[in-house]
Amino acid sequence: MPDFPPDFLPQNFLDSHFLNPDRSNLEDIRKLGYAFVDLIVDAVLDTQNQAFVQDESSFKINIPEHGDKLVDLLAEVRSQVLPRTVNFQNSRYMGHMDSVPTAITIWADALISAINNNMLSYELAPVFTEMEAQLMQWFGNLFGMGSDCFGTLTAGGSLANISALLLARNWKQPQSKTLGNAHNLVAFVSDAAHTSFEKAMNVIGVGKENLVRVLTNDRGEIIIEELELEIQKAIRQGKQPFFVAAIAGTTVTGAVDAIQSVGEIAKRYECWFHIDAAYGGAGIFSPKLQPLFQGCELADSITFNPQKWLWVARTCAMLIVKDKQHLVDGFDGELPYMDDRTLNFGNLNLQGTRRTDSLKLWMALKAMGISGCRYLVERSLDLSDNLQQWVEASPELELVCEPTLNIICLKSNNPNLSSALLRQQWIDAGKLWLSLPLWKGDRILKAVVLHPYAG
């Protein structure tokens, strides 16, 4: 018999953590929910004028033998956890591709947790299976991928890119699904592409040494001539090109590769063509940026993360494919314990148990509408233009490259003040929180203008 405290009452314990079928604790559960709402609104959202990080000391988890009272636990979260978080609500935080989520997606996330359906199979999440399927086709059509497009939500852009490379390997060498040993395969991305491509080459068994990073120009756009030269070089070495990616929104500068040109080269050499639009994909909503996406119809797959530039609470990312059969053939999964006559997403991606994030994404799109998405994207472009003008007007600062999206890269123009030191001064003064990425051998400052009230 476990050692319980003297005042332990099993029914009270159960009623503290679950809704009793007799509804006797309904109001207590409701009060707990209201307490969370107050905590989120007062201590998380309403912190726009507070420090980027209030407490940088280490945190101890201190798991007790007997559970704390929930009111005490919430008080500890408020006093000990939240001050140690990075305050993305501060409109001067522009460090990375981290947006403040729209209010509807915050509450939708709680609703998803309460429903707790499982995207493994249709019978565990029927309405959300239908919802995700329709959303994937909707986004595929938005990018012009054709009537047979499909896709799946994933736990982030890295997993989407890993999945795309796995599909490409299995498409190029179908025997590798059963026999392994993907022989002589080589993939091509720009030297500004995300690090997830190295992870992917490791995961799919091809090896990161067989990932060729192609030179980019000063803005971070892949040099088309260099891409073709690298492919031809690999062929002369007896290797088999199987995957070419274009990046729509690079991690450091936000550059967008010439999608049409990269896609044409991929097709010329019989390669799977992938577009990593994890960040920049939201630009498809803006007529100003839509010309950058010409050539998406050539893509075999696209990664897109609404959790970034569409302000959807994490996690919310997707892999879209031109042909649903690519997912079926690529993952070749079976769920013998489920009804195989229905659409089971557990057969179509690397994850089994998965949250029903389709609800959050659908609610965001319904709440904002296409025009609202367009407005928010274009507002962030306007705000980044303001920041660019401020940089150009400052004798102490220098623009690193001309921006493509809402990412501004700059550096200190003062020989006696490094960009790293300037960054720390700004953070200490509460002026700006920028990141310090390595770019072309130098540490620069990067501002990602995502906060809707940035200024």
Side-chain angles (χ1 to χ4, degrees), residues 30-296:
R30 193 190 309 278
K31 288 177 183 177
L32 178 61
Y34 289 159
F36 266 98
V37 170
D38 289 341
L39 180 68
I40 291 169
V41 172
D42 296 337
V44 178
L45 303 183
D46 190 20
T47 58
Q48 297 191 23
N49 296 317
Q50 295 182 16
F52 299 118
V53 179
Q54 297 180 47
D55 186 346
E56 297 185 5
S57 64
S58 61
F59 175 77
K60 304 295 183 182
I61 59 173
N62 297 326
I63 305 300
E65 175 65 28
H66 308 298
D68 293 339
K69 293 181 179 179
L70 297 184
V71 63
D72 295 335
L73 179 56
L74 290 187
E76 183 178 1
V77 169
R78 182 187 288 263
S79 65
Q80 301 300 316
V81 177
L82 296 182
R84 290 176 167 85
T85 62
V86 181
N87 182 14
F88 294 155
Q89 299 296 327
N90 188 319
S91 61
R92 295 177 180 272
Y93 174 88
M94 304 178 189
H96 295 280
M97 296 170 174
D98 299 301
S99 60
V100 291
T102 58
I104 190 69
T105 64
I106 296 172
W107 310 125
D109 229 12
L111 181 59
I112 290 167
S113 294
I115 298 170
N116 209 32
N117 278 191
N118 185 350
M119 286 303 300
L120 175 69
S121 68
Y122 183 91
E123 69 180 67
L124 295 176
V127 66
F128 301 118
T129 297
E130 295 174 358
M131 187 180 292
E132 181 165 327
Q134 293 178 49
L135 282 168
M136 295 303 95
Q137 292 169 326
W138 188 86
F139 274 103
N141 291 331
L142 191 66
F143 285 106
M145 295 187 73
S147 58
D148 294 326
C149 65
F150 202 67
T152 176
L153 291 176
T154 65
S158 290
L159 188 57
N161 285 339
I162 291 170
S163 300
L165 269 155
L166 180 62
L167 294 179
R169 186 205 70 176
N170 293 345
W171 164 78
K172 194 69 171 180
Q173 294 187 354
Q175 74 279 5
S176 63
K177 288 189 295 183
T178 52
L179 301 177
N181 189 26
H183 184 63
N184 278 345
L185 294 180
V186 60
F188 302 85
V189 301
S190 81
D191 63 19
H194 193 258
T195 57
S196 58
F197 288 103
E198 273 89 4
K199 291 182 183 179
M201 294 293 278
N202 180 15
V203 169
I204 70 172
V206 177
K208 63 182 181 181
E209 287 190 1
N210 291 309
L211 179 70
V212 176
R213 284 190 169 270
V214 182
L215 291 174
T216 56
N217 59 24
D218 291 341
R219 294 176 67 173
E221 301 158 344
I222 195 169
I223 299 173
I224 299 299
E225 296 78 12
E226 292 291 335
L227 171 61
E228 189 150 25
L229 287 174
E230 290 288 359
I231 293 175
Q232 292 171 351
K233 178 182 175 182
I235 294 172
R236 289 196 301 271
Q237 293 173 341
K239 296 182 178 180
Q240 185 179 24
F242 80 107
F243 178 93
V244 174
I247 314 302
T250 58
T251 307
V252 176
T253 63
V256 177
D257 291 335
I259 292 174
Q260 181 81 34
S261 299
V262 175
E264 289 172 354
I265 289 176
K267 298 305 175 185
R268 188 180 307 150
Y269 292 94
E270 299 180 343
C271 291
W272 181 282
F273 179 41
H274 177 67
I275 302 173
D276 181 3
Y279 185 77
I284 197 70
F285 285 96
S286 169
K288 297 178 183 178
L289 298 179
Q290 284 170 0
L292 295 174
F293 294 90
Q294 291 179 359
C296 282

